[in-house]
Amino acid sequence: MSSTYGTLFKISTFGESHGAGIGVIIDGCPAGLTFDTDFIQHDLDRRKPGQSRITTQRREADEFEVLSGVFEGVTQGTPIALVIRNTDQRSKDYGHIAQQFRPSHADYTYQAKYGTRDYRGGGRSSARETAARVAAGAVAKLLLQGQGVHVQAYVSQVGKLKLEKSYADMDLAVAEENAVRCPDPETAEHMFALIDDTRKKGDSIGGVVDCVITGVPAGWGEPVFDKLHAELGKAMLSINAVKGFEYGSGFAGAEQYGSEHNDEFYTDETGRVRTRTNQSGGIQGGISNGETIYFRTAFKPVATIMQDQDSVDSDGNAVIVSGKGRHDPCVVPRAVPIVEAMAALVLADMWLRSRGSKV
């Protein structure tokens, strides 16, 4: 099982939803970075369960411990090991599905691949694993801050309810002022009501998280197979429940003529090469062009719902699976810091790789 991502800035996550804890080893973080524990904990707090009535009511503090790689508040250039203890497991909630395959979960595929599975909360396939990514992503963000790079994600859609405004027309910081993490307060209220109504029905609903990255200079990314947008897509699609990724004009670009879609170059007053439009989403030829990078990530409805569903057991017998446990009716509010974390990990790796591409 591959639990490692990155080339120079590399992470390996470990742990299960109902095990003793989860964690991450970060390899390749340069020495001398101020290790801001408050900043890292803040990002973990944004992802942790129990934030409001529209998120899972599992109660985890998600406080992290540093086991190695940091001395007197500064990274040492050696592997950084972080661990987050699990404290609120209710494994008995999952005893009924020990031999049953929950619809749209990884139960069957894990059993088919490994011949065994940890059914407690999904084990390794649980979204609880993403807390480790968020911790590592926060370290990557600290590294990127020194390069003037900022990563901001927000919820742009819940079900069929869409935020129609462009990221350029909103104050994205406002997203952190409501439980949905949508930067438009009025739309956020409607989204909250939709998620809450879905929760009361024992159902779940999907949504979309947009991400905007500023400050990336021209030249980050590798041509051909390690294109910057390809790595961002891989990173996003590695997140639980993600079903789609598009950057720049995305699928809408398929409806346009080249004369409409092309981003014309010009030189601004500082002598910097810019583009008049940004259909490319800040990336051309797999390499950043210095403009704002933006992309969208689509999340399916959470697979566990509080309704009976038809399925089969490990012997192939027809069964009725009853939804139990504590789950999000909509994953996107808590997915915002996860999207940011994975984007930051990609960019930190690409920054380190770009430093050796020219003299």
Side-chain angles (χ1 to χ4, degrees):
M1 178 186 293
S2 176
S3 294
T4 300
Y5 178 77
T7 301
L8 296 183
F9 192 95
K10 184 180 297 185
I11 70 164
S12 296
T13 69
F14 60 88
E16 296 82 33
S17 178
H18 284 235
I22 53 177
V24 62
I25 297 173
I26 306 169
D27 197 5
C29 182
L33 175 68
T34 299
F35 196 79
D36 189 338
T37 56
D38 290 339
F39 180 86
I40 297 169
Q41 188 61 58
H42 175 68
D43 262 9
L44 283 169
D45 289 345
R46 294 169 65 215
R47 193 221 72 96
K48 72 180 182 181
Q51 296 181 39
S52 72
R53 70 173 184 263
I54 62 168
T55 64
T56 173
Q57 293 307 294
R58 179 170 175 171
R59 297 292 177 179
E60 295 283 359
D62 279 359
E63 295 177 350
F64 73 98
E65 304 170 38
V66 182
L67 303 184
S68 67
V70 180
F71 180 66
E72 295 183 340
V74 177
T75 60
Q76 300 296 295
T78 55
I80 300 169
L82 309 177
V83 65
I84 302 166
R85 309 289 180 180
N86 292 331
T87 61
D88 189 28
Q89 309 97 311
R90 292 184 187 173
S91 299
K92 66 180 186 302
D93 288 347
Y94 299 91
H96 69 293
I97 55 116
Q99 302 300 324
Q100 298 179 346
F101 300 138
R102 295 169 295 174
S104 288
H105 272 278
D107 299 339
Y108 171 69
T109 51
Y110 266 56
Q111 186 72 36
K113 182 174 179 64
Y114 300 107
T116 182
R117 65 184 174 92
D118 183 349
Y119 60 82
R120 303 166 303 165
R124 185 70 178 150
S125 68
S126 169
R128 176 130 189 82
E129 178 269 343
T130 60
R133 307 189 196 196
V134 170
V139 177
K141 284 183 181 180
L142 290 171
L143 197 62
L144 292 169
Q145 284 178 0
Q147 305 304 310
V149 176
H150 179 70
V151 183
Q152 174 74 63
Y154 62 93
V155 173
S156 65
Q157 182 175 340
V158 173
K160 295 181 179 179
L161 185 57
K162 299 179 182 180
L163 176 61
E164 301 296 343
K165 297 179 181 178
S166 166
Y167 70 85
D169 299 326
M170 298 180 290
D171 179 2
L172 301 186
V174 174
E176 291 301 312
E177 297 178 3
N178 60 75
V180 181
R181 293 200 166 90
C182 172
D184 182 70
E186 183 178 353
T187 304
E189 288 185 16
H190 294 302
M191 288 178 171
F192 187 98
L194 176 56
I195 297 172
D196 199 30
D197 183 60
T198 300
R199 175 187 64 84
K200 293 174 182 176
K201 294 176 180 176
D203 213 334
S204 63
I205 195 166
V208 175
V209 174
D210 286 20
C211 188
V212 179
I213 304 166
T214 57
V216 176
W220 290 14
E222 301 294 327
V224 191
F225 295 114
D226 287 353
K227 290 179 168 67
L228 178 53
H229 60 271
E231 289 301 303
L232 285 170
K234 177 181 178 180
M236 296 309 128
L237 290 165
S238 77
I239 300 172
N240 309 60
V242 169
K243 287 295 185 182
F245 169 83
E246 63 176 6
Y247 78 102
S249 62
F251 281 90
E255 302 174 359
Q256 295 179 290
Y257 292 103
S259 56
E260 300 173 298
H261 191 273
N262 287 348
D263 297 316
E264 296 182 351
F265 289 106
Y266 73 100
T267 303
D268 68 13
E269 61 277 5
T270 69
R272 176 186 162 195
V273 176
R274 301 288 307 277
T275 61
R276 298 190 185 281
T277 54
N278 193 17
Q279 303 273 21
S280 301
I283 304 170
Q284 294 170 327
I287 301 169
S288 61
N289 66 3
E291 301 296 332
T292 297
I293 296 171
Y294 63 96
F295 61 83
R296 308 180 77 230
T297 304
F299 289 79
K300 70 170 185 173
V302 175
T304 298
I305 58 176
M306 299 300 108
Q307 298 177 17
D308 290 345
Q309 300 179 86
D310 293 329
S311 190
V312 299
D313 62 18
S314 55
D315 293 322
N317 300 311
V319 295
I320 301 296
V321 177
S322 299
K324 295 182 181 179
R326 297 162 294 175
H327 306 276
D328 295 86
C330 181
V331 74
V332 290
R334 292 176 58 216
V336 166
I338 304 170
V339 168
E340 290 179 1
M342 292 308 299
L345 290 167
V346 171
L347 291 168
D349 194 40
M350 287 298 184
W351 170 59
L352 291 176
R353 294 170 71 173
S354 73
R355 295 196 304 177
S357 62
K358 59 185 178 181
V359 295

